[in-house]
Amino acid sequence: MKKTLLTGILFSTLLLGSNYLHAQIDDKKGIVAKGAELTKVQDGFSFTEGPAINRQGDVFFTDQPNDKIYKWNPNSNQITLFKEGAGRSNGLYFQLDGKLIAAADLNNELWEIDPFTGKEKVLVPSFRSKKLNGPNDIWVRPKGGLYFTDPLYPRPYWEGIRGKESEQDGQHVYFLSADRSELFRVAEDLKQPNGIIGTPDGKTLYVADIGDKKTWKYDIQEDGYLTNKTLFCEMGSDGMTLDDRGNVYLTGKGVTVFNSRGEQIAHIPVPENWTANVTFGALDRRTLFITAMGSVYTLKMKARGVW
């Protein structure tokens, strides 16, 4: 009896295929396109991270352990290699001028990469003459300047004591001014900040404290400082994005979506042990692009991503 039941379940799962996964999507507010199914674009990577969209709708993402940056073309649905020797980049984000900002983990730096030549320039080599923990995720605000998180994740390719202990006095969030003349901390009371995203009007910043399983909301000041720290939801996140309805997308076990009041409205399961990051791709920004372990996925959306 048990064997027959199990066989039936397995057969039904195989028969339904991706429809079986789609049936598990919890979408209370209709943010996913009608009939859309989660699609695996490609696998065979080691650990995908840092998806970032350019003005053409292409998504650049990293395979961090393999030290590479890839590019996904939404028109052809093809993935091509953009850069080898990427400084073990993790998070990525495009500036308005088209330059790609990368959290280059190899030497605990922040890079600027030319999108045509792939040539890099170090923007932030250190803070107060000490190595950063390892810049992780980035958000560039509309008026210029950028925020990045600096958690500590000891890497096997770091040598000596640097691979075990932080040179900084904690794990913080930093702001780099548009003219690159100022670098300062804007949040020093978090346990392990990771995911970060801001609203398109440049007024609000969300920071996920993955170590404390919380996501916080801040008001952004003209000079880059943050005020009015408010608990957004009781969930941390690896990577984050926003849609045009003000919903916030958090990652970890699949993708969990909260409205602007911090209420959960959707959950998108992803058949991997971990979902690292997410963004909206394609020219119309209605394709959710998901990096998860050794694979990348897409899902057609009704909601639209914001620039």
Side-chain angles (χ1 to χ4, degrees), residues 90-101:
N90 193 74
L92 305 172
Y93 208 93
F94 277 95
Q95 294 186 140
L96 292 178
D97 65 1
K99 297 290 179 63
L100 182 63
I101 307 300

Side-chain angles (χ1 to χ4, degrees), residues 19 22 25 27 30-37 245 286 299-303:
N19 285 322
H22 174 68
I25 294 177
D27 181 13
I31 61 173
V32 179
K34 186 176 180 179
E37 300 174 359
R245 304 180 186 184
R286 293 191 188 275
L299 178 66
K300 294 296 183 182
M301 303 293 289
K302 188 175 181 181

